[in-house]
Amino acid sequence: MMEEARSDIEEELILSNYCFNSILPHNSVESALANHLSVKLSDLSLPSRTLIDIFMGDLGEDEEIVRAEKDDLRAMKERDPACISYVPSHRVTHKLWSQGRKVLALLIQNRVSKVFSIDIHLGAKIGHGILLDHASEVVVGETAMIRNNVSILHNVTLGGTGKISGDRHLKIGGGVLIGARTCILGNIKIGEGAKIGVGSVVLKNVPPRTTAAGNPARLVGGKHNPIKLDNIPGLTMDHTSHIFEWLDYVI
């Protein structure tokens, strides 16, 4: 990151002030992240200095959060060809929520929702290496669980059906790819390495290594003999394999 910052300054001298404030003076990723988050989220009720102390307290003391954030940064760099930056915050607020510091966690989460247009409930459990591609208009419910190396596009809702309480949200296996404008509702399971097509509405379990698409979503290849994926779509970011073979339409 520091090498890239210096290279950016050489290409665009006008970026020197930004790089010297946000990246170059920091001796660790967690310090740079805490500074970046505090600048983005601060307002009159949440001063930057207060946010830095909160984020450094959790990022500096919790090795699991630090590892997860580094995995997220790598995921962003490896899977998103247009990658410019990434701003994590849920892991810190989730820890505050789990510690019973709910008022503070809600205050920060409210700022995150307002600034980034993302609403991830503080109780949601999220693994490592998560990519929120374009990172806007994403909603994740309280009892949702997202395992490692999952990629989620913009305008995705991972919610409940509105009919039950308690454990009411989906469980997503590792390596899943979820296309843009998708709704996955209810306490269902999306199997490891599955792919959800763009604009789908998913209301039932999706087996591992299969593709579900449509409204309501159906398995590509059929319910009894679905086509199995060879690769992990959450890593390859391949949105179209098998879908084009399945859909027969004319424009």
Side-chain angles (χ1 to χ4, degrees), residues 1 29 33 68-78 83 85-88 129-130:
M1 289 174 65
V29 171
L33 285 173
E69 297 296 8
K70 290 179 178 178
D71 287 344
D72 292 344
L73 287 167
R74 292 189 190 97
M76 195 71 172
K77 195 70 176 176
E78 292 169 1
C83 172
S85 64
Y86 178 70
V87 184
I130 304 301

Side-chain angles (χ1 to χ4, degrees), residues 75-84 131-134 237:
M76 195 71 172
K77 195 70 176 176
E78 292 169 1
R79 296 180 226 160
D80 185 358
C83 172
I84 299 174
L131 172 63
L132 300 181
D133 199 354
H134 301 293
M237 300 297 290

Side-chain angles (χ1 to χ4, degrees), residues 205-221:
N205 294 338
V206 176
R209 296 294 186 103
T210 62
T211 300
N215 180 8
R218 293 176 172 82
L219 294 177
V220 174

Side-chain angles (χ1 to χ4, degrees), residues 201-244:
V201 176
V202 184
L203 303 173
K204 295 183 178 180
N205 294 338
V206 176
R209 296 294 186 103
T210 62
T211 300
N215 180 8
R218 293 176 172 82
L219 294 177
V220 174
K223 177 180 178 180
H224 300 292
N225 190 29
I227 297 174
K228 291 289 185 176
L229 299 172
D230 298 324
N231 299 314
I232 304 296
L235 298 179
T236 64
M237 300 297 290
D238 181 0
H239 293 267
T240 59
S241 64
H242 299 312
I243 293 180
F244 283 157

Side-chain angles (χ1 to χ4, degrees), residues 108-124:
I108 297 174
Q109 194 264 354
N110 181 64
R111 282 293 298 161
V112 171
S113 295
K114 184 175 182 179
V115 173
F116 300 120
S117 296
I118 293 178
D119 186 5
I120 302 177
H121 193 283
L122 299 163

Side-chain angles (χ1 to χ4, degrees), residues 16-242:
S16 59
N17 187 54
Y18 170 79
C19 291
F20 278 113
N21 285 330
S22 61
I23 299 174
L24 295 176
H26 303 284
N27 57 10
S28 65
V29 171
E30 49 269 36
S31 174
L33 285 173
N35 177 77
H36 193 43
L37 283 171
S38 69
V39 170
K40 289 285 188 181
L41 299 177
S42 61
D43 63 4
L44 292 177
S45 62
L46 274 175
S48 177
R49 185 68 257 173
T50 299
L51 286 168
I52 286 178
D53 291 341
I54 294 169
F55 291 131
M56 279 305 296
D58 285 307
L59 288 171
E61 296 172 3
D62 195 318
E63 293 182 2
E64 178 67 15
I65 290 180
V66 174
R67 282 197 299 271
E69 297 296 8
K70 290 179 178 178
D71 287 344
D72 292 344
L73 287 167
R74 292 189 190 97
M76 195 71 172
K77 195 70 176 176
E78 292 169 1
R79 296 180 226 160
D80 185 358
C83 172
I84 299 174
S85 64
Y86 178 70
V87 184
S89 59
H90 173 75
R91 300 187 193 285
V92 173
T93 52
H94 174 73
K95 183 179 179 182
L96 292 171
W97 179 266
S98 301
Q99 291 173 337
R101 302 168 69 184
K102 295 191 175 183
V103 174
L104 177 59
L106 284 167
L107 182 61
I108 297 174
Q109 194 264 354
N110 181 64
R111 282 293 298 161
V112 171
S113 295
K114 184 175 182 179
V115 173
F116 300 120
S117 296
I118 293 178
D119 186 5
I120 302 177
H121 193 283
L122 299 163
K125 297 178 181 179
I126 298 180
H128 294 207
I130 304 301
L131 172 63
L132 300 181
D133 199 354
H134 301 293
S136 64
E137 307 299 329
V138 174
V139 177
V140 181
E142 177 183 10
T143 57
M145 180 180 293
I146 302 174
R147 298 200 178 276
N148 299 341
N149 300 317
V150 171
S151 295
I152 301 173
L153 274 289
H154 55 284
N155 203 5
V156 166
T157 297
L158 309 179
T161 62
K163 298 186 293 185
I164 59 174
S165 58
D167 189 1
R168 59 197 182 279
H169 298 109
L170 72 167
K171 310 299 181 277
I172 300 178
V176 169
L177 173 62
I178 300 176
R181 303 194 313 279
T182 292
C183 288
I184 307 177
L185 306 176
N187 188 4
I188 61 176
K189 294 181 180 179
I190 309 300
E192 244 182 71
K195 176 165 58 179
I196 310 300
V198 172
S200 299
V201 176
V202 184
L203 303 173
K204 295 183 178 180
N205 294 338
V206 176
R209 296 294 186 103
T210 62
T211 300
N215 180 8
R218 293 176 172 82
L219 294 177
V220 174
K223 177 180 178 180
H224 300 292
N225 190 29
I227 297 174
K228 291 289 185 176
L229 299 172
D230 298 324
N231 299 314
I232 304 296
L235 298 179
T236 64
M237 300 297 290
D238 181 0
H239 293 267
T240 59
S241 64
H242 299 312

